[in-house]
Amino acid sequence: MRLILLGPPGAGKGTQADVLAAHYGVPHVSTGDLFRYNLRQGTPVGLEAKGYLDRGVLVADDVTGRMVAERIDREDAAPGFILDGYPRNLAQGEDLEEMLRVRRLHLDRAVAVDVPEDVVLSRITGRRLCPSCGATYHILYSPPAQEGRCDRCGAELLQRPDDRAETVTVRLGVYRDETAPLLAFYRERNLLETVSGLGSVDEVTARIREVLHD
Ligand code: AMP
């Protein structure tokens, strides 16, 4: 299963990618998570990416592409992957095609998770993240049992710096201008499926599995 999840920030791609990855036994490859990991580790990629992440704009295509290629070449991605956050513009869509072509692999589907902008805004600004185990919460829709603490590991929950309202506006603009054209790109290739991202996590998962005929 080689799948791309498309959709604006806050559409629930990360949550759905986790569920689908467990279901299909393939890794969830999130470029945002990979950049944040590199940032925490202080790697050259992390240092390069920091300014872009802080501002909510895209990291250079070549840096991002190399990071993705390295990730999908790892052994656990041999049976497939769920890509979340890549590609993010048309050039990356073409880079990914080439990346797969030279490896004699193909994409099964691109699933767009559709959520209106006002919903996305409230989802993102209420989002909280466990810096220790990566669990995600929402202060209204899926709060932790104890306020500000991770249910799984007890660490103090944080808000991603780029989830603050000022940066979210920039990220939504980037989505509209740079990422949304990928919908037509995958539609032309007969790979695009669109599902509504409204409702519960289970409802959205069920919609995705339905369009995947699973
Ligand atoms: P995300 O967690 O997917 O919202 O990504 C967080 C940030 O990481 C984005 O705002 C970008 O700065 C960077 N990023 C993630 N994926 C990509 C990508 N495919 N290309 C360029 N930058 C990216």
Side-chain angles (χ1 to χ4, degrees), residues 141-159:
Y141 312 134
S142 57
Q146 191 194 341
E147 194 185 327
R149 292 262 158 219
C150 179
D151 291 345
R152 275 203 242 158
C153 70
E156 190 183 342
L157 300 179
L158 299 177
Q159 182 176 40

Side-chain angles (χ1 to χ4, degrees), residues 155-169:
E156 190 183 342
L157 300 179
L158 299 177
Q159 182 176 40
R160 270 171 52 177
D162 60 343
D163 277 353
R164 284 191 280 255
E166 320 81 81
T167 321
V168 172
T169 314

Side-chain angles (χ1 to χ4, degrees), residues 175-197:
Y175 176 76
R176 266 196 311 269
D177 298 343
E178 301 192 48
T179 311
L182 282 168
L183 300 176
F185 178 92
Y186 286 112
R187 193 176 297 120
E188 278 163 21
R189 285 156 178 75
N190 281 326
L191 290 173
L192 186 73
E193 301 287 352
T194 304
V195 300
S196 163

Side-chain angles (χ1 to χ4, degrees), residues 9-10 13 30-33 35-36 49 52-61 64 67-68 84-89 92 127 160 162-163 171:
K13 301 186 298 294
S30 153
T31 42
D33 285 348
F35 281 128
R36 283 183 287 275
Y52 298 91
L53 264 78
D54 286 348
R55 280 181 287 138
V57 298
L58 298 184
V59 180
D61 294 337
T64 309
M67 184 177 77
V68 171
D84 154 25
Y86 189 87
R88 211 68 159 226
N89 59 27
Q92 292 184 5
R127 179 155 72 179
R160 270 171 52 177
D162 60 343
D163 277 353
R171 288 164 64 208

Side-chain angles (χ1 to χ4, degrees), residues 114-132:
D114 188 31
V115 178
E117 268 196 21
D118 54 332
V119 177
V120 152
L121 258 177
S122 84
R123 282 190 184 178
I124 299 184
T125 46
R127 179 155 72 179
R128 296 293 180 273
L129 191 76
C130 174
S132 176

